[in-house]
Amino acid sequence: MSALNDIDEPDLLKRLISGDEQAFTFIYKIYWPVLYSHALRMLHDEEEAKDVVQELFLNFHAKSTGLSGQTKLSAYLYVSLRNRILNLIRQQRVKFDYLGNLALFTQHNDNPILDNIHEKELQKSINAEIDRLPPKMRRIFELSRKEYLTHKEIASRLEISDKTVKTQINNALKSLRLKIDAFIFVKIWIIFSVFLD
């Protein structure tokens, strides 16, 4: 905490606004652990906490040269983080509300044939998205999910590091999650449209 207290924020901000990349790197190194810790306390999920802080810094870097010289750096970062986390929580609530309503709908409209069709459509959609992954990422993902190899086994087979394997699998899962969430959202929308007509 003393490192944060010793920062000359006005000077650092001035350098950042002038496009000094070393100033940004310094801010990143100093504030990342504190912001991550705060995000983790609020989200209780390591990956989500890392993602939200990473997105914050990407956005911060893109806007850094347009900041006002009067900006209080620490306050700006904390408020940005809080807003991102609140938006994420809101999005999750909306998603859970949709999924909850879908669960209620399917309980009252149980149809094994339709369930089977939806399951096949979802599997087809997942397979299509896996096929669209970059070749190296797809190969690593398939070795993990279809051949059930460990990260170490994949790394050994492809002669790459364990860290590369982990990164590629995480990136594949993020990409697939976005596509599958969009697919589910469309299905929910169609079901509700039919239900409400």
Side-chain angles (χ1 to χ4, degrees):
M1 199 65 163
S2 59
L4 287 176
N5 292 335
D6 294 339
I7 294 172
D8 181 354
E9 279 199 358
D11 178 60
L12 196 55
L13 183 63
K14 189 175 167 185
R15 287 171 48 207
L16 181 71
I17 292 169
S18 71
D20 184 340
E21 284 297 319
Q22 285 184 330
F24 175 79
T25 303
F26 181 77
I27 292 166
Y28 182 88
K29 285 181 180 175
I30 290 292
Y31 284 100
W32 169 272
V34 183
L35 294 172
Y36 170 72
S37 175
H38 187 62
L40 187 57
R41 272 199 311 275
M42 291 184 75
L43 295 169
H44 307 287
D45 183 298
E46 289 183 11
E47 287 305 313
E48 278 192 345
K50 283 179 191 169
D51 287 348
V52 80
V53 175
Q54 193 64 30
E55 285 171 16
L56 181 151
F57 274 107
L58 285 170
N59 186 264
F60 176 66
H61 185 265
K63 293 182 175 179
S64 59
T65 54
L67 291 172
S68 157
Q70 305 304 311
T71 303
K72 176 130 176 65
L73 198 53
S74 54
Y76 179 88
L77 291 170
Y78 283 115
V79 170
S80 296
L81 180 67
R82 187 198 64 201
N83 291 343
R84 283 179 176 277
I85 290 172
L86 291 175
N87 285 338
L88 183 62
I89 291 168
R90 269 190 225 105
Q91 287 166 7
Q92 287 173 340
R93 278 196 190 134
V94 168
K95 183 174 161 185
F96 288 134
D97 286 348
Y98 273 116
L99 292 176
N101 288 335
L102 178 63
L104 283 172
F105 175 75
T106 53
Q107 280 172 10
H108 293 97
N109 298 275
D110 199 17
N111 186 329
I113 295 169
L114 276 179
D115 289 346
N116 194 27
I117 290 168
H118 292 315
E119 190 176 322
K120 283 180 180 174
E121 281 180 12
L122 181 57
Q123 190 57 54
K124 189 176 171 184
S125 176
I126 291 169
N127 289 337
E129 291 307 327
I130 290 171
D131 288 342
R132 287 191 191 99
L133 292 171
K136 183 180 177 183
M137 186 184 291
R138 184 175 69 238
R139 176 81 175 121
I140 292 170
F141 186 78
E142 286 176 340
L143 287 172
S144 169
R145 296 307 190 261
K146 292 184 180 177
E147 295 187 32
Y148 307 105
L149 298 183
T150 65
H151 289 185
K152 196 177 282 291
E153 289 168 335
I154 296 168
S156 174
R157 183 181 289 191
L158 300 180
E159 298 178 348
I160 55 177
S161 71
D162 289 8
K163 188 176 179 183
T164 300
V165 172
K166 184 179 178 184
T167 300
Q168 291 286 345
I169 289 172
N170 283 339
N171 289 343
L173 287 171
K174 278 182 196 171
S175 173
L176 292 172
R177 194 183 314 139
L178 286 171
K179 300 292 192 306
I180 291 163
D181 284 352
F183 175 83
I184 290 170
F185 180 81
V186 169
K187 295 303 291 179
I188 291 168
W189 184 259
I190 291 167
I191 288 167
F192 277 129
S193 297
V194 170
F195 182 58
L196 293 171
D197 280 349

